[in-house]
């Protein structure tokens, strides 16, 4: 089984790119082989979503880059966490600036490594956003970026399933 | 005189954002201030003019960790204004969803936010490498609390099923019974958590306590979630409507959140230790036995031991959930009927961090004319500052990093939800 998890808050403008892309994928991937969920960046929810899966794709928004640009990182969870830490793009920071009880995505992956709660192969597919204001709509470049991110996941999942 | 400044840009592992500055002059403590400098959120302001029955959903947005506290305090205040009482199984369902909130909030704070302080880790991620079973246990408990909230409230964050008069719909008995096996397992896990945290090394520190919490009077009184009287270990027992005769809010320049004190200027605390000290005799059997087995003192005076009390309260909340589920008989109507009328109402409940008090006045057309909300963290601000004033002299022998560590840990004793009051915490220590 493969998990696809869209992370972010649809009520915070471009932060909703992950759930939007997951929404596209829900109808496009074989449900008997791939589970698709949208989730806040909560470690417990993330670990539940990927529990027992051989691989997982995490869709998120990020800062940095041109709005709508799609970035892909892949690897084993620990290596991926290092790659993401070294990168200058900033991924989901948990519940956002309004809360420090939330975990950022990188921290959630690090915690998952310590707990052995993640599958051996992980992808992070992120869409660059420009506005993360509460109540604002998602920008057009990011809406398009979410579609490109979904296509990217479809390609990777198809490859994975055929191998 | 030597001046020394220690600064922490961000205090992690608390809910929301604020700052703390400590001034030392000639090696002696001069001042401690808990800064809360984010703009006020004006919830009371924009409740005015809204319909009375919108209050539970609007006030729930004050906090993503403890929305039930705001929903129950506002709903019961409106019910008070309307002259109705929500009792029987509807009341029990409210207790159950509140137990869910306590379980998720306490499990999060104990395992992921506070325990790393005692074990010498910067955060739960570091701690998880050596204590994976404990962190997993915390996540399991939190998940169960969230499940209870979602099952009754429709969703776990900002639930939508609570209303003035009861609920929009009530769960079937089978739905609640689906939680039973997991709650039984969780009860063992919560007891194990209590034993684990009771074995931590606690700083030697005690304060004179002025505890304020709810208490259900009379035989059959239960450990408080909502209802009962507002009691103090110094002998006060107030009706909910009498709160303002003893407690008042005031503004401090360094905080955008109002502080609270007794009208004679006294500092007090709300939260798990206050509840426990005033209601130990109301604990459920396993929680009481666990507290006894762990030799928890009759009056907990060391705020660092709040982590143990939170663990005991988690045992209580699970046991109470089981009791309610076993006795559950779905009520014929999901809510009590009422006529809209003008009036004033008061509501209070025990948020995980302490009492959350509300007062509203509604007009004949059902519009809210006045709203006042006193969250627990606002009430604990002065107490946190007092603890630090008493603690810091013993920390002067420590290096700066050790001192910062202990100050942050002392703030976290109260699991402050600064988002409820406002945001962001920084620590600055000025030494002259």
């Amino acid at each position: 089984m493969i998990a696809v998890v869209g992370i972010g808050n649809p009520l915070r403008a471009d932060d909703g790119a992950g759930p939007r892309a997951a929404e596209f994928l829900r109808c496009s991937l074989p449900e008997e082989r791939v589970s698709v969920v949208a989730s806040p960046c909560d470690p417990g929810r993330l670990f539940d979503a990927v529990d027992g899966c051989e691989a997982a794709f995490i869709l998120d928004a990020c800062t940095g880059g041109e709005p709508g640009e799609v970035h892909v990182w892949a690897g084993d969870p620990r290596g991926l966490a290092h790659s993401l830490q070294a990168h200058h793009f900033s991924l989901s920071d948990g519940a956002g600036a309004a809360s420090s009880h939330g975990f950022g995505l990188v921290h959630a992956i690090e915690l998952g490594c310590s707990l052995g709660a993640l599958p051996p192969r992980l992808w992070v597919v992120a869409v660059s956003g420009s506005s993360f204001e509460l109540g604002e709509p998602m920008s057009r470049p990011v809406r398009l970026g979410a579609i490109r991110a979904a296509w990217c996941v479809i390609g990777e999942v198809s490859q994975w399933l055929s191998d | 005189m030597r001046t020394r400044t220690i600064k922490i840009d961000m205090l992690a592992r608390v809910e929301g954002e604020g700052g703390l500055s400590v001034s030392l002059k000639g090696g002696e403590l001069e001042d401690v201030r808990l800064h809360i400098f984010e703009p006020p959120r004006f919830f009371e302001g924009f409740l005015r003019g809204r319909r009375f029955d919108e209050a539970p959903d609007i006030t729930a947005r004050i906090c993503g960790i403890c929305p039930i506290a705001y929903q129950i305090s506002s709903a019961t205040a409106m019910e008070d204004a309307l002259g109705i009482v929500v009792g029987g199984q509807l009341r029990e369902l409210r207790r159950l969803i509140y137990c869910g909130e306590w379980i998720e909030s306490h499990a999060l704070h104990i395992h992921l936010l506070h325990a790393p302080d005692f074990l010498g880790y910067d955060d739960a991620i570091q701690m998880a490498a050596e204590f994976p079973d404990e962190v997993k246990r915390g996540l399991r408990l939190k998940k169960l609390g969230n499940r209870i909230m979602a099952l009754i409230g429709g969703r776990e964050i900002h639930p939508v099923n609570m209303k003035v008069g009861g609920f929009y719909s009530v769960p079937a008995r089978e739905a609640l019974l689906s939680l039973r096996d997991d709650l039984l397992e969780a009860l063992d896990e919560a007891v194990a958590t209590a034993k684990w945290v009771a074995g931590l090394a606690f700083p030697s520190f005690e304060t004179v306590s002025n505890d304020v919490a709810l208490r259900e009077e009379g035989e059959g009184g239960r450990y408080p979630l909502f209802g009962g009287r507002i009691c103090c270990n110094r002998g006060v027992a107030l009706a909910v409507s009498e709160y303002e005769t003893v407690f008042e809010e005031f503004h401090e320049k360094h905080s955008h959140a109002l502080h609270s004190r007794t009208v004679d200027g006294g500092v007090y605390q709300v939260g798990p230790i206050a509840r426990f000290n005033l209601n130990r005799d109301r604990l459920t059997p396993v929680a009481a036995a666990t507290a006894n087995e762990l030799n928890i003192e009759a009056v907990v005076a060391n705020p660092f031991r709040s982590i143990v009390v939170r663990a005991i309260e988690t045992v209580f909340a699970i046991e109470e959930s089981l009791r309610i589920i076993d006795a559950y008989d779905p009520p014929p109507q999901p809510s009590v009927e009422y006529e809209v009328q003008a009036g004033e109402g008061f509501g209070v409940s025990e948020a995980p961090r302490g009492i959350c008090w509300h007062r509203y006045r509604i007009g004949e057309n059902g519009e809210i004319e006045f709203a006042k909300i006193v969250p627990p963290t606002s009430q604990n601000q002065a107490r946190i500052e007092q603890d630090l004033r008493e603690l810091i002299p013993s920390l002067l022998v420590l290096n700066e990093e050790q001192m910062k560590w202990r100050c942050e840990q002392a703030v976290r004793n109260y699991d402050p939800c600064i988002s409820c009051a406002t945001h962001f915490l920084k620590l600055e220590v000025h030494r002259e």
Side-chain angles (χ1 to χ4, degrees):
Chain A
M1 200 70 179
I2 294 173
V4 175
V5 188
I7 282 175
N9 185 345
L11 299 178
R12 289 183 62 192
D14 295 347
D15 197 40
R20 174 68 69 93
E23 201 177 300
F24 294 136
L25 291 166
R26 206 182 298 276
C27 306
S28 311
L29 294 169
E31 60 182 348
E32 67 280 7
R33 304 286 304 275
V34 185
S35 72
V36 180
V37 297
S39 167
C41 191
D42 173 271
R45 298 269 288 269
L46 177 63
F47 303 157
D48 280 347
V50 303
D51 187 30
C53 291
E54 57 192 286
F57 292 77
I58 300 170
L59 291 148
D60 196 5
C62 68
T63 58
E66 290 296 315
E69 198 177 338
V70 176
H71 315 272
V72 181
W73 295 270
D76 66 278
R78 201 168 290 281
L80 189 66
H82 288 148
S83 302
L84 292 171
Q85 273 177 335
H87 210 279
H88 63 281
F89 291 152
S90 177
L91 289 151
S92 187
D93 63 349
S99 169
S100 51
H101 267 172
F103 270 62
L105 178 57
V106 178
H107 287 157
I109 293 173
E110 288 179 318
L111 183 61
C113 292
S114 295
L115 300 178
L118 295 170
R121 184 74 176 171
L122 209 58
W123 281 259
V124 170
V125 180
V127 181
S128 288
S130 57
S131 168
F132 297 88
E133 292 297 314
L134 269 172
E136 294 296 317
M138 191 180 294
S139 65
R140 179 176 167 77
V142 173
R143 289 205 305 271
L144 296 172
I147 295 170
R148 284 198 296 273
W151 277 110
C152 169
V153 171
I154 289 171
E156 295 282 357
V157 168
S158 302
Q159 181 71 42
W160 179 267
L161 293 176
S162 64
D163 284 347
Chain B
M1 296 250 182
R2 194 165 72 96
T3 301
R4 197 169 156 214
T5 301
I6 302 171
K7 186 176 179 184
I8 297 174
D9 285 334
M10 185 170 189
L11 180 69
R13 287 183 277 129
V14 298
E15 171 59 26
E17 301 166 342
L20 183 70
S21 66
V22 177
S23 300
L24 302 164
K25 196 170 186 178
E28 296 210 348
L29 178 65
E30 192 176 59
D31 197 17
V32 176
R33 291 183 178 192
L34 183 66
H35 297 275
I36 293 185
F37 40 76
E38 285 283 325
R41 297 169 73 196
F42 300 118
F43 268 86
E44 287 110 323
F46 63 70
L47 278 161
R48 292 186 187 185
R50 305 301 293 252
R51 276 182 56 85
F52 72 98
D53 52 3
E54 291 182 285
D57 288 326
I58 291 174
T59 58
R61 292 284 171 167
I62 291 174
C63 185
I65 301 292
C66 50
I68 299 299
Y70 289 91
Q71 290 193 319
I72 289 188
S73 292
S74 59
T76 53
M78 293 305 178
E79 287 152 10
D80 183 39
L82 297 170
I84 58 171
V85 175
V86 175
Q89 291 294 309
L90 291 174
R91 184 180 176 82
E92 294 296 274
L93 276 177
R94 283 184 170 176
R95 277 185 75 85
L96 180 56
I97 195 171
Y98 219 150
C99 284
E101 180 164 286
W102 275 31
I103 295 166
E104 62 91 7
S105 178
H106 280 359
L108 173 71
H109 188 68
I110 291 166
H111 295 87
L112 298 181
L113 305 179
H114 211 191
D117 284 332
F118 293 91
L119 296 165
Y121 299 101
D122 285 339
D123 53 40
I125 298 163
Q126 280 188 11
M127 193 180 91
E130 290 187 49
F131 292 89
D133 293 339
E134 286 78 3
V135 173
K136 283 180 185 172
R137 185 172 65 207
L139 290 173
R140 279 194 299 274
L141 288 170
K142 182 178 185 303
K143 181 180 168 185
L144 180 60
N146 284 341
R147 267 183 67 201
I148 296 171
M149 291 173 71
L151 201 154
I152 300 168
R155 62 186 186 191
E156 59 203 52
I157 300 173
H158 304 136
V160 291
N161 191 29
M162 182 109 52
K163 62 176 284 199
V164 174
F167 294 89
Y168 290 101
S169 67
V170 294
R173 179 167 165 73
E174 296 70 29
L176 291 192
L177 286 173
S178 71
L179 295 165
R180 201 173 184 285
D181 288 348
D182 290 336
L183 279 164
L184 283 168
E185 274 185 39
L187 186 58
D188 290 340
E189 296 209 297
V191 170
T193 294
K195 290 178 179 174
W196 175 54
V197 295
L200 298 171
F202 296 97
S204 176
F205 176 66
E206 290 200 347
T207 62
V208 175
S209 170
N210 195 356
D211 301 319
V212 175
L214 290 177
R215 179 172 168 84
E216 291 186 8
E217 296 298 338
E219 294 228 355
R222 298 178 292 184
Y223 201 78
L225 289 162
F226 55 92
R229 296 174 76 83
I230 300 167
C231 292
C232 172
N233 62 346
R234 299 191 176 177
V236 175
L238 303 169
V240 179
S241 60
E242 295 171 326
Y243 175 85
E244 289 170 301
T245 64
V246 172
F247 305 102
E248 63 182 11
E249 290 185 297
F250 64 102
H251 180 244
E252 285 278 16
K253 274 186 183 173
H254 60 275
S255 177
H256 285 174
L258 292 173
H259 279 223
S260 290
R261 65 188 170 204
T262 58
V263 290
D264 58 2
V267 172
Y268 65 98
Q269 74 164 329
V270 298
I273 287 181
R275 276 193 298 262
F276 180 85
N277 285 345
L278 289 166
N279 292 281
R280 183 177 184 151
D281 60 327
R282 304 303 203 207
L283 281 171
T284 43
V286 178
T290 307
N292 289 341
E293 184 185 339
L294 297 175
N295 293 317
I296 297 180
E297 51 276 32
V299 175
V300 177
N302 181 347
F304 290 95
R305 286 177 60 74
S306 63
I307 191 171
V308 183
V309 177
R310 269 189 200 89
I312 296 295
E313 285 196 334
T314 308
V315 176
F316 151 74
I318 293 168
E319 244 185 315
E320 179 71 351
S321 300
L322 281 164
R323 183 193 66 75
I324 293 167
I325 288 171
D326 283 348
Y328 181 61
D329 183 17
Q333 298 295 330
S335 64
V336 175
E337 290 187 3
Y338 55 80
E339 298 281 334
V340 178
Q341 62 181 41
E344 186 175 40
F346 304 84
V348 66
S349 71
E350 284 283 359
R353 292 152 192 83
I355 59 171
C356 181
W357 186 85
H358 292 218
R359 172 159 74 93
Y360 300 93
R361 190 174 63 244
I362 56 179
E364 286 179 4
N365 59 359
E367 276 190 7
I368 297 171
E369 295 176 344
F370 173 84
K372 180 176 178 178
I373 297 170
V374 186
T377 292
S378 295
Q379 296 174 82
N380 277 335
Q381 283 177 101
R383 175 56 189 251
I384 293 170
E385 289 180 343
Q386 178 177 289
D387 278 8
L388 288 163
R389 271 193 293 274
E390 292 174 11
L391 177 69
I392 286 169
S394 69
L395 304 181
L396 297 177
V397 294
L398 302 177
N399 66 36
E400 288 186 4
E401 285 309 310
Q402 291 169 328
M403 186 173 169
K404 286 177 188 176
W405 183 291
R406 193 65 88 208
C407 286
E408 288 190 63
Q409 184 180 11
V411 173
R412 280 191 283 270
N413 287 336
Y414 293 86
D415 188 11
C417 191
I418 293 169
S419 290
C420 288
T422 46
H423 299 286
F424 194 73
L425 196 54
K426 285 182 180 176
L427 171 62
E428 292 178 31
V429 180
H430 304 281
R431 292 179 196 254
E432 283 188 22

